[in-house]
PDB file of all heavy atoms in Angstrom:
ATOM      1  N   ILE K 174     -15.979   2.354  -2.705  1.00 92.00           N
ATOM      2  CA  ILE K 174     -15.962   3.424  -1.700  1.00 92.00           C
ATOM      3  C   ILE K 174     -15.917   2.867  -0.291  1.00 92.00           C
ATOM      4  O   ILE K 174     -15.050   3.238   0.520  1.00 92.00           O
ATOM      5  CB  ILE K 174     -17.193   4.336  -1.891  1.00 92.00           C
ATOM      6  CG1 ILE K 174     -17.076   5.110  -3.210  1.00 92.00           C
ATOM      7  CG2 ILE K 174     -17.328   5.297  -0.724  1.00 92.00           C
ATOM      8  CD1 ILE K 174     -18.279   5.995  -3.498  1.00 92.00           C
ATOM      9  N   VAL K 175     -16.826   1.952   0.021  1.00 92.00           N
ATOM     10  CA  VAL K 175     -16.844   1.374   1.367  1.00 92.00           C
ATOM     11  C   VAL K 175     -15.620   0.479   1.617  1.00 92.00           C
ATOM     12  O   VAL K 175     -14.977   0.605   2.660  1.00 92.00           O
ATOM     13  CB  VAL K 175     -18.150   0.605   1.615  1.00 92.00           C
ATOM     14  CG1 VAL K 175     -18.104  -0.102   2.972  1.00 92.00           C
ATOM     15  CG2 VAL K 175     -19.341   1.556   1.570  1.00 92.00           C
ATOM     16  N   PRO K 176     -15.248  -0.421   0.686  1.00 92.00           N
ATOM     17  CA  PRO K 176     -13.997  -1.168   0.915  1.00 92.00           C
ATOM     18  C   PRO K 176     -12.783  -0.263   1.049  1.00 92.00           C
ATOM     19  O   PRO K 176     -11.894  -0.541   1.851  1.00 92.00           O
ATOM     20  CB  PRO K 176     -13.891  -2.054  -0.336  1.00 92.00           C
ATOM     21  CG  PRO K 176     -15.282  -2.235  -0.810  1.00 92.00           C
ATOM     22  CD  PRO K 176     -15.967  -0.927  -0.506  1.00 92.00           C
ATOM     23  N   GLY K 177     -12.722   0.840   0.281  1.00 92.00           N
ATOM     24  CA  GLY K 177     -11.613   1.759   0.413  1.00 92.00           C
ATOM     25  C   GLY K 177     -11.587   2.426   1.776  1.00 92.00           C
ATOM     26  O   GLY K 177     -10.519   2.648   2.346  1.00 92.00           O
ATOM     27  N   LEU K 178     -12.776   2.749   2.312  1.00 93.00           N
ATOM     28  CA  LEU K 178     -12.841   3.331   3.653  1.00 93.00           C
ATOM     29  C   LEU K 178     -12.369   2.336   4.697  1.00 93.00           C
ATOM     30  O   LEU K 178     -11.665   2.700   5.649  1.00 93.00           O
ATOM     31  CB  LEU K 178     -14.267   3.787   3.949  1.00 93.00           C
ATOM     32  CG  LEU K 178     -14.528   4.396   5.322  1.00 93.00           C
ATOM     33  CD1 LEU K 178     -13.686   5.644   5.515  1.00 93.00           C
ATOM     34  CD2 LEU K 178     -16.009   4.729   5.496  1.00 93.00           C
ATOM     35  N   VAL K 179     -12.756   1.073   4.540  1.00 93.00           N
ATOM     36  CA  VAL K 179     -12.308   0.034   5.480  1.00 93.00           C
ATOM     37  C   VAL K 179     -10.798  -0.130   5.394  1.00 93.00           C
ATOM     38  O   VAL K 179     -10.105  -0.223   6.421  1.00 93.00           O
ATOM     39  CB  VAL K 179     -13.016  -1.301   5.171  1.00 93.00           C
ATOM     40  CG1 VAL K 179     -12.431  -2.435   6.018  1.00 93.00           C
ATOM     41  CG2 VAL K 179     -14.520  -1.174   5.423  1.00 93.00           C
ATOM     42  N   LEU K 180     -10.268  -0.176   4.181  1.00 92.00           N
ATOM     43  CA  LEU K 180      -8.822  -0.351   3.995  1.00 92.00           C
ATOM     44  C   LEU K 180      -8.043   0.822   4.579  1.00 92.00           C
ATOM     45  O   LEU K 180      -6.967   0.635   5.150  1.00 92.00           O
ATOM     46  CB  LEU K 180      -8.516  -0.506   2.511  1.00 92.00           C
ATOM     47  CG  LEU K 180      -7.047  -0.691   2.115  1.00 92.00           C
ATOM     48  CD1 LEU K 180      -6.496  -1.971   2.716  1.00 92.00           C
ATOM     49  CD2 LEU K 180      -6.904  -0.712   0.601  1.00 92.00           C
ATOM     50  N   ALA K 181      -8.605   2.023   4.468  1.00 92.00           N
ATOM     51  CA  ALA K 181      -7.890   3.229   4.921  1.00 92.00           C
ATOM     52  C   ALA K 181      -8.157   3.590   6.367  1.00 92.00           C
ATOM     53  O   ALA K 181      -7.564   4.546   6.874  1.00 92.00           O
ATOM     54  CB  ALA K 181      -8.270   4.413   4.033  1.00 92.00           C
ATOM     55  N   SER K 182      -9.019   2.847   7.052  1.00 92.00           N
ATOM     56  CA  SER K 182      -9.510   3.278   8.366  1.00 92.00           C
ATOM     57  C   SER K 182      -8.361   3.472   9.362  1.00 92.00           C
ATOM     58  O   SER K 182      -8.235   4.520  10.012  1.00 92.00           O
ATOM     59  CB  SER K 182     -10.517   2.277   8.910  1.00 92.00           C
ATOM     60  OG  SER K 182      -9.953   0.962   8.978  1.00 92.00           O
ATOM     61  N   VAL K 183      -7.494   2.474   9.495  1.00 91.00           N
ATOM     62  CA  VAL K 183      -6.409   2.585  10.475  1.00 91.00           C
ATOM     63  C   VAL K 183      -5.397   3.647  10.053  1.00 91.00           C
ATOM     64  O   VAL K 183      -4.979   4.485  10.854  1.00 91.00           O
ATOM     65  CB  VAL K 183      -5.714   1.216  10.650  1.00 91.00           C
ATOM     66  CG1 VAL K 183      -4.530   1.345  11.587  1.00 91.00           C
ATOM     67  CG2 VAL K 183      -6.689   0.188  11.204  1.00 91.00           C
ATOM     68  N   SER K 184      -5.011   3.654   8.778  1.00 92.00           N
ATOM     69  CA  SER K 184      -4.070   4.647   8.293  1.00 92.00           C
ATOM     70  C   SER K 184      -4.658   6.052   8.401  1.00 92.00           C
ATOM     71  O   SER K 184      -3.936   7.013   8.691  1.00 92.00           O
ATOM     72  CB  SER K 184      -3.704   4.351   6.837  1.00 92.00           C
ATOM     73  OG  SER K 184      -3.061   3.106   6.723  1.00 92.00           O
ATOM     74  N   LEU K 185      -5.962   6.184   8.154  1.00 93.00           N
ATOM     75  CA  LEU K 185      -6.629   7.487   8.270  1.00 93.00           C
ATOM     76  C   LEU K 185      -6.521   8.016   9.693  1.00 93.00           C
ATOM     77  O   LEU K 185      -6.265   9.208   9.911  1.00 93.00           O
ATOM     78  CB  LEU K 185      -8.085   7.332   7.860  1.00 93.00           C
ATOM     79  CG  LEU K 185      -8.967   8.577   7.735  1.00 93.00           C
ATOM     80  CD1 LEU K 185     -10.070   8.317   6.722  1.00 93.00           C
ATOM     81  CD2 LEU K 185      -9.606   8.959   9.062  1.00 93.00           C
ATOM     82  N   ALA K 186      -6.680   7.134  10.673  1.00 94.00           N
ATOM     83  CA  ALA K 186      -6.559   7.562  12.065  1.00 94.00           C
ATOM     84  C   ALA K 186      -5.133   8.019  12.378  1.00 94.00           C
ATOM     85  O   ALA K 186      -4.935   9.035  13.073  1.00 94.00           O
ATOM     86  CB  ALA K 186      -6.958   6.407  12.984  1.00 94.00           C
ATOM     87  N   TYR K 187      -4.149   7.299  11.851  1.00 94.00           N
ATOM     88  CA  TYR K 187      -2.755   7.703  12.075  1.00 94.00           C
ATOM     89  C   TYR K 187      -2.437   9.024  11.385  1.00 94.00           C
ATOM     90  O   TYR K 187      -1.704   9.871  11.920  1.00 94.00           O
ATOM     91  CB  TYR K 187      -1.802   6.609  11.585  1.00 94.00           C
ATOM     92  CG  TYR K 187      -1.667   5.448  12.540  1.00 94.00           C
ATOM     93  CD1 TYR K 187      -2.020   4.164  12.148  1.00 94.00           C
ATOM     94  CD2 TYR K 187      -1.180   5.630  13.834  1.00 94.00           C
ATOM     95  CE1 TYR K 187      -1.895   3.094  13.028  1.00 94.00           C
ATOM     96  CE2 TYR K 187      -1.048   4.578  14.716  1.00 94.00           C
ATOM     97  CZ  TYR K 187      -1.409   3.304  14.306  1.00 94.00           C
ATOM     98  OH  TYR K 187      -1.293   2.250  15.172  1.00 94.00           O
ATOM     99  N   VAL K 188      -2.951   9.227  10.175  1.00 94.00           N
ATOM    100  CA  VAL K 188      -2.726  10.485   9.458  1.00 94.00           C
ATOM    101  C   VAL K 188      -3.337  11.645  10.247  1.00 94.00           C
ATOM    102  O   VAL K 188      -2.744  12.728  10.358  1.00 94.00           O
ATOM    103  CB  VAL K 188      -3.325  10.412   8.040  1.00 94.00           C
ATOM    104  CG1 VAL K 188      -3.370  11.792   7.394  1.00 94.00           C
ATOM    105  CG2 VAL K 188      -2.490   9.467   7.175  1.00 94.00           C
ATOM    106  N   THR K 189      -4.522  11.447  10.799  1.00 94.00           N
ATOM    107  CA  THR K 189      -5.167  12.477  11.598  1.00 94.00           C
ATOM    108  C   THR K 189      -4.315  12.858  12.800  1.00 94.00           C
ATOM    109  O   THR K 189      -4.076  14.045  13.078  1.00 94.00           O
ATOM    110  CB  THR K 189      -6.555  11.995  12.071  1.00 94.00           C
ATOM    111  OG1 THR K 189      -7.367  11.699  10.940  1.00 94.00           O
ATOM    112  CG2 THR K 189      -7.250  13.064  12.908  1.00 94.00           C
ATOM    113  N   ARG K 190      -3.846  11.858  13.522  1.00 93.00           N
ATOM    114  CA  ARG K 190      -3.029  12.117  14.703  1.00 93.00           C
ATOM    115  C   ARG K 190      -1.698  12.748  14.341  1.00 93.00           C
ATOM    116  O   ARG K 190      -1.206  13.662  15.024  1.00 93.00           O
ATOM    117  CB  ARG K 190      -2.800  10.819  15.475  1.00 93.00           C
ATOM    118  CG  ARG K 190      -4.029  10.341  16.254  1.00 93.00           C
ATOM    119  CD  ARG K 190      -3.828   8.963  16.853  1.00 93.00           C
ATOM    120  NE  ARG K 190      -4.845   8.722  17.880  1.00 93.00           N
ATOM    121  CZ  ARG K 190      -4.642   8.857  19.189  1.00 93.00           C
ATOM    122  NH1 ARG K 190      -3.465   9.237  19.630  1.00 93.00           N
ATOM    123  NH2 ARG K 190      -5.620   8.622  20.063  1.00 93.00           N
ATOM    124  N   LEU K 191      -1.087  12.277  13.253  1.00 93.00           N
ATOM    125  CA  LEU K 191       0.195  12.810  12.835  1.00 93.00           C
ATOM    126  C   LEU K 191       0.087  14.264  12.389  1.00 93.00           C
ATOM    127  O   LEU K 191       0.910  15.118  12.740  1.00 93.00           O
ATOM    128  CB  LEU K 191       0.754  11.954  11.706  1.00 93.00           C
ATOM    129  CG  LEU K 191       2.202  12.197  11.276  1.00 93.00           C
ATOM    130  CD1 LEU K 191       3.155  11.945  12.453  1.00 93.00           C
ATOM    131  CD2 LEU K 191       2.564  11.270  10.112  1.00 93.00           C
ATOM    132  N   THR K 192      -0.978  14.573  11.619  1.00 93.00           N
ATOM    133  CA  THR K 192      -1.206  15.945  11.183  1.00 93.00           C
ATOM    134  C   THR K 192      -1.491  16.848  12.366  1.00 93.00           C
ATOM    135  O   THR K 192      -0.989  17.987  12.436  1.00 93.00           O
ATOM    136  CB  THR K 192      -2.372  16.000  10.191  1.00 93.00           C
ATOM    137  OG1 THR K 192      -2.143  15.067   9.118  1.00 93.00           O
ATOM    138  CG2 THR K 192      -2.524  17.384   9.604  1.00 93.00           C
ATOM    139  N   ARG K 193      -2.302  16.366  13.284  1.00 92.00           N
ATOM    140  CA  ARG K 193      -2.635  17.159  14.480  1.00 92.00           C
ATOM    141  C   ARG K 193      -1.383  17.525  15.270  1.00 92.00           C
ATOM    142  O   ARG K 193      -1.181  18.692  15.637  1.00 92.00           O
ATOM    143  CB  ARG K 193      -3.588  16.380  15.367  1.00 92.00           C
ATOM    144  CG  ARG K 193      -3.815  16.997  16.746  1.00 92.00           C
ATOM    145  CD  ARG K 193      -4.512  16.045  17.687  1.00 92.00           C
ATOM    146  NE  ARG K 193      -4.596  16.592  19.045  1.00 92.00           N
ATOM    147  CZ  ARG K 193      -3.650  16.449  19.955  1.00 92.00           C
ATOM    148  NH1 ARG K 193      -2.526  15.805  19.674  1.00 92.00           N
ATOM    149  NH2 ARG K 193      -3.811  16.983  21.161  1.00 92.00           N
ATOM    150  N   THR K 194      -0.532  16.531  15.516  1.00 91.00           N
ATOM    151  CA  THR K 194       0.680  16.798  16.291  1.00 91.00           C
ATOM    152  C   THR K 194       1.614  17.763  15.573  1.00 91.00           C
ATOM    153  O   THR K 194       2.166  18.685  16.187  1.00 91.00           O
ATOM    154  CB  THR K 194       1.423  15.469  16.548  1.00 91.00           C
ATOM    155  OG1 THR K 194       0.548  14.563  17.238  1.00 91.00           O
ATOM    156  CG2 THR K 194       2.660  15.699  17.404  1.00 91.00           C
ATOM    157  N   SER K 195       1.767  17.569  14.267  1.00 91.00           N
ATOM    158  CA  SER K 195       2.658  18.441  13.497  1.00 91.00           C
ATOM    159  C   SER K 195       2.132  19.870  13.438  1.00 91.00           C
ATOM    160  O   SER K 195       2.896  20.833  13.588  1.00 91.00           O
ATOM    161  CB  SER K 195       2.817  17.867  12.085  1.00 91.00           C
ATOM    162  OG  SER K 195       3.784  18.596  11.363  1.00 91.00           O
TER     163      SER K 195
END
Side-chain angles (χ1 to χ4, degrees):
I174 292 178
V175 175
L178 179 60
V179 173
L180 180 62
S182 57
V183 176
S184 298
L185 187 153
Y187 282 119
V188 168
T189 301
R190 285 173 164 261
L191 190 60
T192 306
R193 170 193 174 272
T194 302
S195 187

